[in-house]
Amino acid sequence: MKKFSVIFFTLLFSISLLAQESLGSRININSPEVNADNTVTFRLLAPKAVKVQVTGDFISGEPRIPVDMVEGENGVWEYTTPPLASELYYYNFIVDGLTIRDPSNVYTIRDIAMIMNVFIVGGDRGDLYSVQDVPHGTVSKVWYDSPTLNMKRRMTVYTPPGYERNSTKYPVLYLLHGAGGDEEAWMDLGRASQIIDNLIARGKAKPMIVVMTNGNPGQEASAGESQMNFDFKPGFRGPNNQRPAASFPDSFKDVKTFIEKNYRVIANKASRAVAGLSMGGGHSYTISKDYPNTFDYVGLFSAAVGPAVDREGNVQNEVIAQLKKQRDNKFKLYWIACGRDDFLYERNLQYMKQLDEMSFPYTYRESDGGHTWRNWRVYLGEFLPMIFK
Amino acid sequence: MKKFSVIFFTLLFSISLLAQESLGSRININSPEVNADNTVTFRLLAPKAVKVQVTGDFISGEPRIPVDMVEGENGVWEYTTPPLASELYYYNFIVDGLTIRDPSNVYTIRDIAMIMNVFIVGGDRGDLYSVQDVPHGTVSKVWYDSPTLNMKRRMTVYTPPGYERNSTKYPVLYLLHGAGGDEEAWMDLGRASQIIDNLIARGKAKPMIVVMTNGNPGQEASAGESQMNFDFKPGFRGPNNQRPAASFPDSFKDVKTFIEKNYRVIANKASRAVAGLSMGGGHSYTISKDYPNTFDYVGLFSAAVGPAVDREGNVQNEVIAQLKKQRDNKFKLYWIACGRDDFLYERNLQYMKQLDEMSFPYTYRESDGGHTWRNWRVYLGEFLPMIFK
């Protein structure tokens, strides 16, 4: 086959330049280029454009102000950032007011209805978020029955390196997304499989199974993966006009039953954790309280929590009683993390005040920044080494 | 939590309109809109644009000529197609010469270095390519050791509905991609999991395990999933300057060993199939010939095959001997499919002529069209019902 292969590839390559529908731009634009000094250069060929800008979370300041790019020879617009800290960054171009993806960069991440290009500046966090030369876990998209929601539903399951080749039982982390997210969010925006692979390889996290559910009880699956197919328009509340049979926390027992039946798990409290961001932090609060002797580890990341009071300000005694039960049953870690600029910051402070009043033990991690995936990746990287010890 | 949820979502939604980095365009443009008569309307808000076109495989004719869109009120450009046959289609917009994705459509597929929006016109094929109300298999991204290539490598494994909950053993189809593709290609461009789920549910295909490898022997994994991370620029040959230790067919034994060790497979010839498109068709030809008593079912889709002759036109006797051995060992199906407009059409005819000369039995399926995923999805839908009977 050797000679034939050479002929074939030459043929294919020639043909492809003429006919293939799959080739990108003919002109070779390198964008984004991460330079040796950690500056990053963006480039866009747009000879007819009047104004080209780049926006993204590499720009600091609030509100974020897009940066003008400068047109050079051949209609290539360019901008080079200052040196950037090691991180995963998002960006888009704005061409005469129209927000577009960088045609030279195939790497994108969807956050709800927005698709952004991504790049990584390596070194510290960037390496933690990258595929490294380490053993890799398996990432599966699995459908389970949820009798509570009367639906087949999709989840993402990470099993640690070697799972297929041994008979070990593993602890389980249930890792929940926020409003507008789905069972893809922690993998795509959260870089969860890279973080877990890397922390396990560094000996900083225990090998574990990580279960990432879809927390929208009206949805079977993420955008494009449900029976709505491409008719589904992603938004904050999942499909419109759908009245779920129950809340996601109410249906959590279906998830737990499926996982404990079909995976090799250590089915005890010391080997169960639940954590989530924003709405998923609220879900983690609810689930750990509703199953008050089930989880030794709870993580609330920028959580949608608050003091247990109703609209009139009256304390909800049944909720307090549940939390006290959870407290009395004991657990090893109740970790609350929030950024000082988060719109849920005050709510989290109020929640912790109520926890203090009932001597409910927790650990608080306050960070810079707001309600962003940048923070949630950091929190996951800090939470994983603390669980299943 | 009910009241709290309402407050939280109201708060979150209000905040998000101001601050969230994840919201799409404020103006609600519906694009693409598949109309009741199977025409499709594309819309783009681009008030500053001078010329806006749409291109895609809904346009017939060769070469494909992009269609002008017409600017309406409020700067929204629009075009409505004629009625379209049921199918999965690709498209892009061209705004003043710049090819962009439709910002109103989050659904995209990457074909090598090109990212295209997609939509489905339902009914016939469109339904086969859609998520339906049927049991779904599990799709896993799994890493395996390839001693032959001296690498950890990633593959996609489809296990049929119920696999986790029974102890049945299943037949295995090895399904291989073409040049420039990777272990994601059959799932994303080929809609393989939808096709298989739907054909199993209709009773037309046997439940089976489908193994989709990465056929580029210099690559660990698909774009963004290898140690090159986002530095990898997709192209026809995988990473530059990389000299693989062996060919993919030479390393196939590592794939087979891993699958037969770690999955519940029926490890016999009657329960093994290998099929692929283009380069993967060439791989299927090579693998089935190199393991001449291993597969009862072989599928060559627009395959990179040709008569066994060297550059000087001399017949390669050792190859002929292998094919005769495969013929003598017998098999149930050797299926060759090619489109009349395919650039490999003549090569396939020449290959079949050589097969005829040695009375090597095969089935030939000639179709319209060329070297396109549209054809490969059709071929997969026809091949699956013929195997493991």
Side-chain angles (χ1 to χ4, degrees):
Chain A
M1 275 293 279
K2 281 258 167 60
K3 276 182 191 164
F4 175 67
S5 289
V6 172
I7 297 169
F8 168 66
F9 277 115
T10 309
L11 178 66
L12 181 64
F13 195 71
S14 317
I15 294 281
S16 70
L17 289 176
L18 299 169
Q20 266 270 5
E21 57 193 351
S22 50
L23 263 190
S25 169
R26 299 290 180 281
I27 299 165
N28 192 19
I29 305 281
N30 188 9
S31 177
E33 186 173 3
V34 180
N35 304 301
D37 59 354
N38 285 359
T39 63
V40 176
T41 303
F42 303 101
R43 295 185 182 92
L44 177 71
L45 176 71
K48 293 187 187 169
V50 175
K51 185 175 184 179
V52 178
Q53 297 174 297
V54 58
T55 186
D57 66 350
F58 63 89
I59 299 170
S60 47
E62 193 64 49
R64 188 173 295 154
I65 296 162
V67 180
D68 288 344
M69 297 174 71
V70 176
E71 189 171 12
E73 289 178 26
N74 302 322
V76 177
W77 298 73
E78 194 172 298
Y79 169 72
T80 298
T81 69
L84 299 178
S86 176
E87 184 53 81
L88 172 81
Y89 294 96
Y90 313 135
Y91 71 103
N92 280 131
F93 292 142
I94 305 172
V95 179
D96 295 331
L98 193 65
T99 299
I100 68 164
R101 260 55 66 203
D102 181 348
S104 302
N105 182 359
V106 298
Y107 301 106
T108 59
I109 295 184
R110 179 178 64 82
D111 191 1
I112 310 180
M114 185 76 167
I115 294 177
M116 302 161 296
N117 283 108
V118 289
F119 65 93
I120 288 175
V121 176
D124 178 26
R125 285 183 197 167
D127 287 350
L128 183 62
Y129 306 158
S130 296
V131 178
Q132 304 284 347
D133 184 14
V134 300
H136 304 296
T138 295
V139 177
S140 300
K141 307 294 175 179
V142 183
W143 290 77
Y144 70 104
D145 285 320
S146 178
T148 308
L149 296 172
N150 191 26
M151 250 186 224
K152 285 189 285 281
R153 306 192 78 228
R154 192 166 174 266
M155 61 167 79
T156 303
V157 180
Y158 169 95
T159 48
Y163 181 87
E164 290 87 356
R165 290 174 290 288
N166 65 37
S167 55
T168 308
K169 292 186 173 187
Y170 293 94
V172 182
L173 164 63
Y174 296 91
L175 186 60
L176 312 180
H177 65 79
D182 55 44
E183 75 275 18
E184 315 271 15
W186 266 112
M187 279 294 155
D188 291 351
L189 294 144
R191 303 293 286 176
S193 68
Q194 290 80 18
I195 293 171
I196 300 166
D197 278 354
N198 289 328
L199 289 180
I200 291 174
R202 295 176 193 178
K204 295 203 169 167
K206 296 272 183 194
M208 65 182 87
I209 295 169
V210 184
V211 176
M212 287 151 282
T213 52
N214 185 314
N216 309 298
Q219 279 185 8
E220 292 173 299
S222 71
E225 302 288 342
S226 75
Q227 288 179 58
M228 292 186 72
N229 289 285
F230 302 155
D231 293 337
F232 174 69
K233 306 282 180 191
F236 269 101
R237 295 297 312 261
N240 295 328
N241 308 321
Q242 199 148 357
R243 291 207 154 266
S247 72
F248 174 73
D250 285 346
S251 80
F252 177 75
K253 56 180 175 290
D254 301 336
V255 174
K256 180 171 167 288
T257 299
F258 178 84
I259 292 296
E260 298 196 350
K261 191 171 173 189
N262 293 300
Y263 290 83
R264 295 196 315 274
V265 305
I266 310 171
N268 65 28
K269 185 178 174 181
S271 300
R272 280 194 213 100
V274 62
L277 72 93
S278 191
M279 177 182 82
H283 288 164
S284 300
Y285 150 85
T286 304
I287 290 166
S288 64
K289 158 180 85 58
D290 290 354
Y291 299 80
N293 204 19
T294 304
F295 301 96
D296 255 351
Y297 306 93
V298 179
L300 310 187
F301 307 168
S302 310
V305 290
V309 289
D310 63 18
R311 284 188 181 188
E312 288 72 40
N314 304 311
V315 170
Q316 294 169 304
N317 289 319
E318 75 285 11
V319 176
I320 299 293
Q322 284 181 303
L323 287 168
K324 285 183 174 169
K325 196 171 170 189
Q326 186 179 358
R327 174 200 67 192
D328 294 344
N329 287 334
K330 296 199 172 25
F331 46 77
K332 292 190 184 149
L333 180 70
Y334 197 96
W335 197 71
I336 298 173
C338 199
R340 274 177 290 274
D341 301 330
D342 198 308
F343 74 96
L344 294 171
Y345 179 70
E346 286 300 325
R347 300 278 299 167
N348 273 268
L349 293 187
Q350 289 161 21
Y351 176 55
M352 287 185 279
K353 187 160 171 284
Q354 201 174 50
L355 291 179
D356 288 337
E357 285 163 8
M358 65 181 96
S359 301
F360 185 107
Y362 62 87
T363 304
Y364 178 47
R365 155 70 158 109
E366 189 169 292
S367 74
D368 291 333
H371 207 70
T372 64
W373 275 101
R374 188 183 295 187
N375 269 346
W376 304 325
R377 288 187 294 266
V378 169
Y379 300 159
L380 181 65
E382 296 183 9
F383 185 69
L384 290 172
M386 293 188 285
I387 63 177
F388 309 135
K389 288 298 178 190
Chain B
M1 274 294 277
K2 281 256 165 65
K3 277 182 192 164
F4 176 66
S5 289
V6 171
I7 297 169
F8 168 64
F9 277 116
T10 309
L11 178 66
L12 182 62
F13 195 70
S14 316
I15 293 284
S16 71
L17 289 176
L18 298 170
Q20 266 271 3
E21 59 193 351
S22 49
L23 265 190
S25 169
R26 300 289 181 281
I27 299 163
N28 192 19
I29 304 282
N30 188 8
S31 178
E33 185 173 4
V34 180
N35 304 299
D37 59 355
N38 284 0
T39 63
V40 176
T41 303
F42 303 102
R43 296 185 181 92
L44 177 71
L45 176 70
K48 294 188 187 169
V50 175
K51 185 176 184 178
V52 177
Q53 297 175 299
V54 58
T55 186
D57 67 350
F58 63 91
I59 299 169
S60 47
E62 193 65 50
R64 185 174 298 154
I65 297 162
V67 181
D68 289 343
M69 297 173 74
V70 176
E71 189 173 11
E73 290 178 22
N74 302 324
V76 177
W77 298 74
E78 192 172 302
Y79 169 73
T80 299
T81 69
L84 299 178
S86 176
E87 183 56 79
L88 172 82
Y89 294 96
Y90 314 134
Y91 72 102
N92 280 130
F93 292 142
I94 306 172
V95 178
D96 296 330
L98 192 66
T99 298
I100 68 164
R101 261 56 64 204
D102 181 349
S104 303
N105 182 0
V106 298
Y107 301 106
T108 60
I109 295 184
R110 179 178 64 83
D111 191 2
I112 309 178
M114 186 75 166
I115 294 177
M116 303 162 297
N117 284 107
V118 289
F119 65 93
I120 288 176
V121 175
D124 179 26
R125 285 183 198 167
D127 288 350
L128 183 63
Y129 306 159
S130 296
V131 178
Q132 303 284 346
D133 184 14
V134 300
H136 304 296
T138 295
V139 177
S140 300
K141 307 295 175 180
V142 183
W143 290 79
Y144 69 104
D145 285 320
S146 177
T148 308
L149 295 173
N150 192 25
M151 249 188 227
K152 283 187 287 283
R153 307 192 77 229
R154 192 167 173 265
M155 61 166 79
T156 303
V157 180
Y158 169 95
T159 48
Y163 181 87
E164 290 87 356
R165 292 173 290 289
N166 65 38
S167 54
T168 308
K169 292 187 171 186
Y170 292 94
V172 181
L173 165 63
Y174 296 91
L175 186 60
L176 312 179
H177 65 80
D182 55 45
E183 75 274 18
E184 314 271 16
W186 267 111
M187 280 292 154
D188 291 350
L189 293 145
R191 302 292 287 175
S193 68
Q194 290 80 16
I195 294 171
I196 300 165
D197 278 353
N198 289 327
L199 289 179
I200 291 174
R202 295 176 192 178
K204 294 202 169 168
K206 296 272 185 194
M208 64 181 86
I209 295 170
V210 184
V211 177
M212 288 150 281
T213 52
N214 185 316
N216 310 298
Q219 279 184 7
E220 291 173 301
S222 70
E225 302 289 343
S226 75
Q227 288 178 60
M228 292 185 72
N229 289 285
F230 303 154
D231 292 337
F232 174 69
K233 306 282 181 192
F236 269 102
R237 294 297 312 261
N240 296 328
N241 308 323
Q242 196 148 359
R243 291 208 153 264
S247 72
F248 174 73
D250 286 346
S251 80
F252 177 75
K253 57 180 174 291
D254 302 335
V255 174
K256 181 171 167 291
T257 300
F258 177 83
I259 292 295
E260 298 196 350
K261 189 169 174 193
N262 292 300
Y263 290 83
R264 295 196 315 275
V265 306
I266 310 171
N268 65 28
K269 185 179 176 181
S271 300
R272 280 195 213 97
V274 62
L277 71 93
S278 193
M279 176 181 84
H283 288 164
S284 300
Y285 151 86
T286 304
I287 290 166
S288 63
K289 158 180 86 56
D290 290 354
Y291 299 80
N293 204 19
T294 304
F295 301 96
D296 255 352
Y297 306 93
V298 179
L300 310 185
F301 306 167
S302 311
V305 291
V309 289
D310 64 18
R311 283 187 181 189
E312 288 72 40
N314 302 312
V315 170
Q316 293 169 303
N317 289 318
E318 74 284 11
V319 176
I320 299 293
Q322 284 181 301
L323 287 168
K324 284 183 174 169
K325 195 169 171 193
Q326 185 180 359
R327 174 201 66 193
D328 294 344
N329 288 335
K330 296 198 172 26
F331 46 79
K332 292 187 185 152
L333 180 70
Y334 197 96
W335 196 71
I336 299 174
C338 200
R340 276 177 290 272
D341 301 330
D342 199 307
F343 73 97
L344 294 170
Y345 179 71
E346 286 300 327
R347 299 278 300 168
N348 273 268
L349 293 186
Q350 290 162 22
Y351 176 54
M352 288 186 279
K353 188 160 171 286
Q354 202 175 50
L355 291 179
D356 288 337
E357 286 163 6
M358 64 181 95
S359 301
F360 185 108
Y362 63 88
T363 304
Y364 178 46
R365 155 68 157 112
E366 189 169 292
S367 73
D368 292 333
H371 206 72
T372 63
W373 275 102
R374 188 183 297 188
N375 269 345
W376 303 326
R377 288 187 294 265
V378 168
Y379 300 160
L380 180 64
E382 296 183 9
F383 185 69
L384 290 173
M386 294 189 287
I387 63 178
F388 310 134
K389 290 296 176 189

